[in-house]
Amino acid sequence: MPSLPLAPPSYLLAGRFRPLFWLACCFLVISTVTRVVLLAAAWGDIPHSPAVVAEVFAIGFFFDLLTCLYVGLPLVLLLTLLPAGWGASRPGRAAIGTLCLLLLALLVFVAVAEWTFWEEFQSRFNFIAVDYLVYTTEVLGNIRESYAVGPILAGIAGTTLAIFVGTRRWRAGGHDLTPWRTRWTVLAIWGAAAALGTWLVTADTRWPTGNHYADALQGNGIYEFFAAYRNPSLDYDQYYRTVAQPDADAHVRRTVATPDATFDAPTGMDRTIHNATPEQRLNVVLISIESFSAEFSGTYGRAESLTPNLDRLTPASLLFTQLYATGTRTVRGLEALSLSVPPTPGESIVKRPGNEHLFSLASVFNAKGYDSSFIYGGYGAFDNMNYFFGHNGYTIHDRAEVPSDAVHHATVWGVSDEDLYTMAMKTFDRSAAAGRPFFAHVMTTSNHRPYTFPEGRGAFKQKSRIGAVRYTDWAVGDFLRRARTHPWFRDTVFVITADHCAFSAGKADLPAFRYHIPMWVYSPAHIAPGRVDGLMSQIDVPPTLLGLLGMDYRSRFYGVDVAQSRPERALIGTYQLLGYLTPNRLVQLAPHRRVATLKPALTADESQPVVPDDPVLTLDAISYYESAAAAFHSGQMRTPFRPLPAVSAR
């Protein structure tokens, strides 16, 4: 037998490589069970069609096999390198058994982690999981505060040991006479198959069903994680449909050519905004609430409102009823509210290199003599927030400024909202005492898992999303009650909106209804109450706010003042998908230069069927995203302007 150059399959499975066969079986069984459990969780949201279920398991099994090649590589390498006879020796068995136990524990752990990730994001692992891996302190802290970690880990350990011991006979090799040429051939074939799969297959190699949940279930969580890790950024020109760059820029220029704009040159976006109304040198507090969907509020149609304090503001506020967030992550909301730019593919600009000295909302206020600040309840190193805001005109105030004895409650994400507002008011007091107007972007954290907050603020259930929303609303009301006692309150404009919605997934890949967020502009002494019902994007908030203040300024914003030009469009996106939303159409741009025109689901979780293409809307979509991506990479988003001549309040 040792003289054989190669060994038949039965010889391999009975000998040295039997542990590899055992690992492959464990992997495929665990992956299939995981898919069945996730399918059951999503059963109410996918088509009950045998064909769809068959596609889920067939394509899923293919990705499981491919992922198994990667997971099994360490074991293949060990089984190849162990000298002849070692597989049956005590040290050899210990080495093989230890590696098998570690790999099995990893598989069980990933299965549990996939369930918790699906529960939160209705998706297999993706770029969000990759992002979270970078910020282990916050993520591990959130896990400890949200879940019974001890029992879960004990369950993982117990399950791993039960499988390991119960299948030991399947794992034990019968002999260790595999020739060296056979061992190296197995390693070469296994490695070549893994390399070929990497070359030929991508995460998009699916059989689309038209349902996001079913399409997600076709994947494998481990594969999806590393696919996202391999592609942290996406070059627009390389992956998406384009037009000639000058044409894209010219088209966007026409869309931002509002009546208040005078362009500074024959080409480009640089323009001077001149407001016909007198400038009001008012303080501005822009509150972006974590994960705050419009559907939570009675003002926006909820029968049992979770936001009574905000609802009470509505009669005295300017209400924006059809505002859509640009993304599903906090950094996307911060990007839109500070830079007024579309959500270009890949990472948010907040986290990209080369994001310093960009034209921002703070740069406009700073040119007017304002104190501009970013105020955050957590540590702003998370998601690169402090670096981004600190290099784009904002003074940073975060959790490090809150004395421990002043904290009523905190999670790993930050202090409770009421403590954040206390810190913010101290900042406002300092600016007011110095005789300077202030602009502050305040980012909350309490409406985030684990959904805990100070006791005694109301009959709000701890560790529940609804309880956290109710507390978030209470904290806003408490903030305004306290703010009324300060002399700067009367001359302050309060803008209350969201960074993004509470949920991100739906039946469609880019579910439009998941992007609907609220916005109240409250300043009874200066801003007349009313409603703005036109469809608008989060990128329109900065120029609209400056328009309400009657400010003249030079602009590179991609958004517009909706009082000057009703855009009736919104820009929404994920890490890869880019959407251009109108009341009746959603143009969806995807990698591999794919473009689809869909009927958007604006009010409920419904499918978004393909409808006839509108060439004008397609050009709008391509132009916005192509132009914005090029502007960032070329430096055209940077601040090039000198301040306009000082204009006193009129």
Side-chain angles (χ1 to χ4, degrees):
M1 187 69 73
S3 63
L4 291 175
L6 291 175
S10 59
Y11 178 84
L12 294 176
L13 297 182
R16 170 180 292 239
F17 286 97
R18 186 163 182 169
L20 183 61
F21 176 71
W22 168 87
L23 178 66
C25 290
C26 288
F27 181 90
L28 294 174
V29 169
I30 291 172
S31 296
T32 301
V33 170
T34 300
R35 186 169 288 109
V36 169
V37 171
L38 297 182
L39 178 65
W43 187 247
D45 295 312
I46 67 172
H48 294 175
S49 161
V52 169
V53 174
E55 289 169 12
V56 164
F57 283 97
I59 303 299
F61 187 72
F62 169 77
F63 275 102
D64 291 345
L65 285 175
L66 179 57
T67 309
C68 185
L69 292 174
Y70 304 135
V71 173
L73 272 172
L75 185 56
V76 177
L77 187 60
L78 176 64
L79 295 173
T80 300
L81 295 178
L82 279 178
W86 274 61
S89 69
R90 180 173 295 179
R93 291 199 306 271
I96 295 170
T98 299
L99 182 56
C100 287
L101 180 62
L102 291 175
L103 290 173
L104 179 61
L106 173 66
L107 297 181
V108 177
F109 176 83
V110 168
V112 174
E114 280 219 75
W115 165 256
T116 60
F117 193 84
W118 183 278
E119 186 182 32
E120 181 74 12
F121 299 106
Q122 297 80 53
S123 176
R124 308 302 287 259
F125 290 147
N126 55 23
F127 73 98
I128 298 176
V130 175
D131 273 359
Y132 279 6
L133 188 67
V134 175
Y135 300 100
T136 53
T137 299
E138 289 82 1
V139 173
L140 292 177
N142 184 47
I143 291 171
R144 286 195 301 269
E145 294 171 352
S146 302
Y147 300 99
V149 175
I152 290 175
L153 291 179
I156 291 173
T159 301
T160 300
L161 288 174
I163 296 173
F164 186 77
V165 173
T167 59
R168 60 188 181 277
R169 292 184 178 179
W170 290 21
R171 189 174 58 255
H175 50 71
D176 187 25
L177 301 177
T178 309
W180 68 269
R181 281 173 292 184
T182 301
R183 302 201 305 264
W184 285 98
T185 300
V186 171
L187 176 61
I189 293 173
W190 194 280
L196 192 64
T198 303
W199 180 40
L200 296 178
V201 180
T202 70
D204 296 327
T205 308
R206 308 282 181 84
W207 191 276
T209 65
N211 180 279
H212 162 78
Y213 301 104
D215 292 346
L217 288 169
Q218 291 180 9
N220 176 279
I222 297 175
Y223 183 92
E224 301 289 333
F225 177 87
F226 284 100
Y229 181 82
R230 286 171 54 201
N231 296 284
S233 62
L234 293 171
D235 180 79
Y236 183 89
D237 289 346
Q238 180 179 352
Y239 290 100
Y240 294 84
R241 182 81 61 86
T242 61
V243 297
Q245 188 66 56
D247 293 343
D249 293 339
H251 190 73
V252 175
R253 176 184 166 105
R254 287 192 292 272
T255 66
V256 300
T258 52
D260 58 349
T262 302
F263 287 95
D264 298 347
T267 60
M269 296 255 308
D270 294 357
R271 59 202 187 275
T272 299
I273 304 297
H274 177 74
N275 276 285
T277 58
E279 181 173 320
Q280 301 183 82
R281 198 172 172 81
L282 302 174
N283 308 308
V284 177
V285 177
L286 170 59
I287 302 172
S288 53
I289 296 175
E290 169 70 38
S291 305
F292 198 61
S293 303
E295 66 183 76
F296 291 148
S297 174
T299 295
Y300 287 82
R302 186 182 181 97
E304 184 180 352
S305 180
L306 305 179
T307 62
N309 289 279
L310 285 167
D311 294 342
R312 282 192 285 271
L313 295 181
T314 300
S317 299
L318 181 60
L319 185 72
F320 293 79
T321 64
Q322 292 297 319
L323 172 63
Y324 283 76
T326 58
T328 59
R329 298 286 319 281
T330 294
V331 285
R332 282 301 188 191
L334 298 179
E335 172 189 82
L337 294 171
S338 60
L339 302 180
S340 182
V341 296
T344 49
E347 289 280 19
S348 163
I349 289 173
V350 173
K351 300 180 68 175
R352 293 186 196 175
N355 64 3
E356 305 87 356
H357 314 300
L358 304 178
F359 181 75
S360 68
L361 183 55
S363 64
V364 177
F365 281 113
N366 292 343
K368 301 282 185 179
Y370 278 63
D371 289 338
S372 296
S373 57
F374 174 67
I375 304 175
Y376 179 55
Y379 294 112
F382 181 75
D383 269 349
N384 204 45
M385 287 186 282
N386 279 359
Y387 184 89
F388 170 78
F389 283 102
H391 286 79
N392 287 290
Y394 296 77
T395 300
I396 304 300
H397 304 276
D398 70 0
R399 181 177 178 173
E401 293 187 18
V402 184
S404 57
D405 59 359
V407 176
H408 289 85
H409 182 80
T411 69
V412 69
W413 298 111
V415 298
S416 62
D417 286 357
E418 61 193 87
D419 297 327
L420 167 67
Y421 293 133
T422 297
M423 175 175 65
M425 287 191 286
K426 291 178 180 178
T427 303
F428 306 158
D429 287 341
R430 288 194 293 269
S431 293
R436 293 170 62 87
F438 55 83
F439 159 62
H441 185 153
V442 182
M443 180 69 221
T444 76
T445 62
S446 289
N447 194 35
H448 191 296
R449 189 180 293 275
Y451 309 127
T452 58
F453 36 84
E455 297 283 358
R457 301 300 185 256
F460 310 147
K461 185 179 179 181
Q462 295 281 352
K463 291 196 172 184
S464 74
R465 188 186 294 274
I466 288 179
V469 173
R470 291 185 182 277
Y471 170 74
T472 295
D473 171 74
W474 176 91
V476 172
D478 177 68
F479 164 57
L480 292 176
R481 285 190 292 272
R482 289 189 286 156
R484 286 187 178 92
T485 66
H486 293 252
W488 42 260
F489 173 83
R490 185 182 184 280
D491 293 326
T492 299
V493 177
F494 297 91
V495 182
I496 305 166
T497 185
D499 59 346
H500 58 82
C501 281
F503 310 95
S504 58
K507 295 179 180 179
D509 290 330
L510 194 60
F513 81 108
R514 291 296 194 201
Y515 291 78
H516 187 204
I517 57 174
M519 187 166 81
W520 293 261
V521 176
Y522 177 72
S523 184
H526 302 281
I527 305 295
R531 292 171 59 99
V532 177
D533 293 322
L535 182 64
M536 61 182 287
S537 171
Q538 205 172 21
I539 72 171
D540 299 318
V541 172
T544 298
L545 174 59
L546 295 171
L548 288 172
L549 298 175
M551 286 190 171
D552 297 344
Y553 60 100
R554 289 194 172 104
S555 177
R556 282 188 164 179
F557 290 151
Y558 277 76
V560 298
D561 177 358
V562 298
Q564 297 291 327
S565 175
R566 296 296 173 90
E568 293 297 338
R569 60 90 188 94
L571 296 118
I572 63 177
T574 64
Y575 175 73
Q576 289 188 329
L577 298 178
L578 310 173
Y580 186 86
L581 176 66
T582 69
N584 300 307
R585 292 289 189 274
L586 171 63
V587 179
Q588 182 174 287
L589 310 181
H592 308 296
R593 305 187 186 278
R594 296 196 301 265
V595 178
T597 303
L598 313 172
K599 181 180 179 181
L602 297 176
T603 58
D605 191 4
E606 301 170 347
S607 61
Q608 297 181 157
V610 175
V611 295
D613 176 48
D614 184 326
V616 174
L617 292 184
T618 300
L619 178 60
D620 285 343
I622 294 171
S623 297
Y624 261 99
Y625 289 109
E626 180 180 343
S627 176
F632 177 74
H633 288 296
S634 67
Q636 293 178 27
M637 283 188 185
R638 295 186 181 275
T639 303
F641 306 126
R642 295 176 181 174
L644 290 176
V647 179
S648 59
R650 295 177 292 214

